[in-house]
Amino acid sequence: MANVDDDKRFAGSIPRLYDTCLVPLIFEPYAADLVSRLQVSPSSSVLEIAAGTGVVTRTLAAELPETVAIVATDLNQAMLDHAMAVGTRRPVDWRQVDAMHLPFDDESFDAVVCQFGAMFFPDRSKAFAQARRVLRPGGVFMFSVWDEIAENEFADVVTSAVAAMFPEDPPRFLARTPHGYYDRQVIEQDVEQGGFSMPPQFHTVAARSRATSPRIPAVAYCEGTPLRNEIETRDASRLEEATEVAAAAIAARFGTGAVDGKIQAHVVIAVK
């Protein structure tokens, strides 16, 4: 039986593996895409929620004018600790914050951005209402979510391979949470219920996920995400086996050398 609280538990070695394996595998191209869509004035302030290990934060700090103030937040202190240890090219205000209860005044920011965090919010319309509350009039809320798992090949292969190890209680974290919030109508309804009066813009962005070997995505997903928590809950002694099974499944489909799989996400832009 799934424990949804474990879906949000990024602790232990997960932050390091997440940043070193998963970030270059799937997150970096979307960080660049997200920041390229953000248009702010030199005097603007930007809030990032669910910053994780800081891939978008680093891109914001590198690409936006140095006069733009950046506040980066996440629920998980372990993820923030890793992000701060990696650092940014200029100062960023890092804070542990729950996106459901943003501790900022009304109309404090010109933009709120969130890459692949909305799927983890227990009440998305409430979180979206918080984002809207802290935006100034005309401000933009921009967030990305993964498309369904069938459109994300490595994640799909890993999920099927690991499920076969535990047929009576298959781990479904990847399908349930990262790839479980993709329906456009549902997302648009949540944005509307969050108080945004204009329909959001919706962009579907396909990209490629590349690694030098099948083991890299296997480690990334099995050991660098909360899928690890599900595997270890079933049998902690089988984590390495699960990683090897996932690597073999990726190799069977994509080859034993460098691998290249499709990834796909939605970028949603709402204006206050």
Side-chain angles (χ1 to χ4, degrees), residues 31-121:
D33 177 87
L34 194 71
V35 174
S36 73
R37 298 175 187 272
L38 186 62
Q39 298 180 351
V40 293
S41 70
S43 60
S44 296
S45 57
V46 176
L47 171 66
E48 183 185 1
I49 52 179
T53 56
V55 59
V56 170
T57 321
R58 293 190 288 271
T59 308
L60 289 168
E63 298 298 329
L64 297 184
E66 293 197 6
T67 51
V68 174
I70 302 170
V71 180
T73 70
D74 197 272
L75 179 65
N76 290 278
Q77 186 62 48
M79 297 289 269
L80 285 177
D81 289 343
H82 185 91
M84 288 186 284
V86 174
T88 54
R89 64 182 295 175
R90 64 182 178 88
V92 167
D93 184 0
W94 301 95
R95 301 194 197 182
Q96 183 182 21
V97 166
D98 185 346
M100 309 296 296
H101 306 283
L102 296 178
F104 305 108
D105 292 338
D106 295 356
E107 301 183 3
S108 298
F109 297 94
D110 299 287
V112 177
V113 298
C114 178
Q115 175 168 266
F116 302 123
M119 307 89 74
F120 295 88
F121 299 157

Side-chain angles (χ1 to χ4, degrees), residues 1 162-171 234:
M1 191 108 179
V162 175
M165 294 178 58
F166 305 95
E168 295 182 359
D169 187 15
R234 286 155 179 79

Side-chain angles (χ1 to χ4, degrees), residues 3 14 25 31 35-36 46 69 85 102 111 113 135 184 188 235 237 267:
N3 182 348
I14 289 179
L25 189 72
V35 174
S36 73
V46 176
L102 296 178
V113 298
L135 277 174
R184 176 170 181 163
E188 289 177 341
D235 188 340
S237 70
V267 178

Side-chain angles (χ1 to χ4, degrees), residues 165-182:
M165 294 178 58
F166 305 95
E168 295 182 359
D169 187 15
R172 297 289 296 168
F173 164 74
L174 294 175
R176 179 180 62 251
T177 301
H179 298 282
Y181 186 55
Y182 58 85

Side-chain angles (χ1 to χ4, degrees), residues 219-236:
V219 170
Y221 285 109
C222 292
E223 301 182 24
T225 77
L227 175 61
R228 176 182 189 144
N229 303 332
E230 287 197 310
I231 295 168
E232 292 185 326
T233 295
R234 286 155 179 79
D235 188 340

